[in-house]
């Protein structure tokens, strides 16, 4: 990120940013003699401008725009064998995304603030690319090839936002909000336990942008001379044009991968509870979220409602920090979350010499619950008058009690008894110590 800030006048402040990002995702199967590596990535170039205008003490106007150039590489497969030199690549694609917005924070009364705004967005698919046309059975009819920089499909929409903050007294307030968001990028996640495959795909002539409407209501209250902050918030979110994989989807190096998606609706709702202490030698916070996220897609799960891959009924975070003096600090974090929904095999049958698994309903089971603890100790440098260079030394331990949180679960036949199916848990991060030396100047 490269950023330039500028104060045009006493009332107009600007922030211009040039941003480059690249997200790489890869998965390897097999070994050096017999296996393959699957690679996917998303590359973005972004320019954005954010400006704040203060016309008077009761109004704060924010406005700006952004331009993003997306580059999608859905999949590249390479053999891991040194004797093989083959590579298969799925067609790449490009897109342009634009956004422009304006909002105003209006202090109507001393205890009543209204925040309202509007954002306009547009997304354009761009060549070089191949666009496929499908019939009602998702079979390919034909395709069209577009040259580099050719714009072949454009989508746009308006996204209004509105929030109201009412201060009841010096200790408590109420906040209500509504927002509509339009998202042109889709993350499709495979819910089969043995294949944690995520694919980023753009909206296109075959995939409409995601549309979400969310309402929220919260109550905030401070205790003990504002040293303790608490809040309770409830929300409901309705989503359209959600994508998911069809049953037995063929994803690996399928140029016509859009035919593997099915589209429907989703919704989520829940309550969030929060308490924080922010003064004194001991500070910290506790949060708990009770939530539900569901989907309904006609061609999946016989059209019945099923849990979304993001459904985690219970989430807890506990963070604490204690100053052992002017220079020493110790902090700890513990997190817990319900296991994500997953589709497990529940039976099998034999066909020839092969064992064919029978799977549960979509997301009918859950992965094991996730939890871990992190610990950190910091030693600050000695304070000296007029000293510009300061430093601190940090020792931390990630996953202190070495919890084996499941990343995926593989099912296989027992080598000694083919009638027995084994479940093997695969985890990624064990206990990880680290040493950090920070400099401030």
């Amino acid at each position: 990120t490269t950023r330039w800030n500028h104060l045009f006048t006493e009332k107009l402040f600007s922030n211009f940013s040039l941003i480059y990002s690249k997200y790489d995702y890869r998965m390897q199967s097999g070994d050096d003699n017999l296996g393959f590596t699957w690679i996917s990535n998303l590359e973005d170039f972004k320019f954005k401008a954010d400006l704040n205008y203060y016309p008077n003490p009761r109004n704060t106007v924010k406005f700006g725009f952004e331009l993003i150039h997306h580059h999608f590489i859905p999949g590249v497969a390479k053999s891991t064998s040194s004797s093989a030199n083959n590579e298969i690549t799925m067609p790449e694609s490009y897109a342009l995304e634009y956004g422009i917005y304006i909002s105003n924070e209006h202090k109507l009364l001393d205890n009543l603030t209204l925040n309202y705004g509007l954002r306009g967005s547009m997304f354009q698919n761009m060549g070089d690319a191949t666009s496929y046309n499908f019939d009602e059975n998702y079979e390919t009819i034909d395709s069209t090839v577009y040259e580099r920089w050719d714009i072949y499909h454009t989508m746009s929409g308006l996204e209004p936002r509105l929030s109201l903050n009412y201060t009841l007294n010096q200790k408590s307030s109420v906040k209500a909000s509504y927002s509509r968001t339009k998202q042109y990028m889709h993350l499709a996640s495979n819910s089969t336990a043995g294949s944690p495959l995520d694919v980023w795909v753009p909206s296109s002539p075959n995939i409409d942008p995601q549309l979400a409407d969310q309402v929220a209501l919260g109550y905030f209250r401070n205790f003990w001379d504002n040293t303790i902050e608490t809040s309770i918030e409830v929300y409901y979110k309705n989503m359209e044009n959600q994508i998911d994989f069809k049953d037995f989807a063929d994803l690996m190096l399928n140029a016509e991968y859009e035919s593997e998606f099915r589209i429907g609706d989703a919704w989520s709702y829940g309550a969030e509870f929060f308490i924080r202490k922010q003064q004194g030698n001991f500070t910290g916070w506790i949060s708990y979220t009770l939530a539900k996220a569901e989907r309904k897609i006609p061609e999946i799960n016989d059209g019945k409602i099923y849990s979304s891959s993001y459904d985690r009924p219970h989430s807890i975070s506990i963070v604490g920090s204690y100053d052992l003096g002017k220079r020493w600090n110790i902090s700890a974090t513990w997190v817990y979350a319900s296991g994500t929904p997953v589709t497990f095999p529940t039976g099998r049958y034999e066909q020839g010499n092969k064992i064919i698994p029978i799977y549960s309903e979509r997301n009918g089971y859950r992965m094991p619950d996730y939890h871990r603890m992190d610990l950190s100790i910091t030693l600050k440098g000695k304070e000296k008058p007029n000293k510009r260079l300061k430093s601190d030394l940090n020792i931390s331990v990630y996953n202190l009690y070495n919890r084996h949180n499941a990343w995926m679960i593989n099912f296989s036949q027992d080598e000694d008894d083919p009638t027995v199916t084994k479940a093997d848990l695969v985890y990624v991060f064990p206990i990880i110590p680290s040493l950090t030396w920070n400099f401030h100047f």
Side-chain angles (χ1 to χ4, degrees), residues 245-248 262 295-306 359-363:
F245 296 119
K246 74 173 187 179
D247 294 332
F248 310 109
R262 299 296 181 263
R295 289 184 170 186
K296 185 175 183 181
I297 299 178
E299 296 91 347
I300 294 178
N301 206 44
D302 296 326
K304 296 183 293 184
I305 296 173
Y306 64 95
Y359 285 90
S360 68
E361 64 179 10
R362 181 62 63 96
N363 291 345

Side-chain angles (χ1 to χ4, degrees), residues 96-206:
L96 291 174
E97 184 173 354
Y98 315 85
I100 184 170
Y101 72 93
I102 185 170
S103 67
N104 183 31
E105 183 179 300
H106 190 178
K107 196 173 183 63
L108 298 173
L109 302 170
D110 290 340
N111 62 342
L112 180 61
T113 302
L114 181 65
N115 198 317
Y116 48 90
L118 182 66
R119 183 178 186 271
S121 61
M122 186 167 66
F123 191 87
Q124 294 180 312
N125 297 108
M126 184 173 63
D128 55 315
T130 301
S131 178
Y132 295 90
N133 297 317
F134 306 103
D135 61 18
E136 64 275 6
N137 297 316
Y138 300 93
E139 298 292 336
T140 304
I141 301 174
D142 56 29
S143 62
T144 305
V145 178
Y146 296 94
E147 298 296 328
R148 187 75 173 100
W149 303 108
D150 284 349
I151 303 295
Y152 63 90
H153 186 66
T154 299
M155 296 152 279
S156 62
L158 295 176
E159 305 167 39
R161 288 95 189 271
L162 177 66
S163 66
L164 187 68
N165 193 328
Y166 181 67
T167 302
L168 300 173
N169 50 53
Q170 292 183 346
K171 295 182 177 180
S172 59
S173 63
V174 176
K175 183 179 179 179
S177 65
Y178 162 77
S179 67
R180 164 167 284 196
T181 54
K182 208 174 186 73
Q183 182 171 313
Y184 300 94
M185 307 281 286
H186 302 259
L187 177 62
S189 300
N190 191 2
S191 61
T192 303
S195 180
L197 179 65
D198 294 335
V199 178
W200 281 101
V201 296
S203 297
S204 70
N206 298 307

Side-chain angles (χ1 to χ4, degrees), residues 235-251:
Y235 69 91
Y236 181 86
K237 187 175 185 179
N238 185 70
M239 294 162 279
E240 301 176 12
N241 302 326
Q242 300 295 293
I243 67 172
D244 206 341
F245 296 119
K246 74 173 187 179
D247 294 332
F248 310 109
D250 179 16
L251 303 173

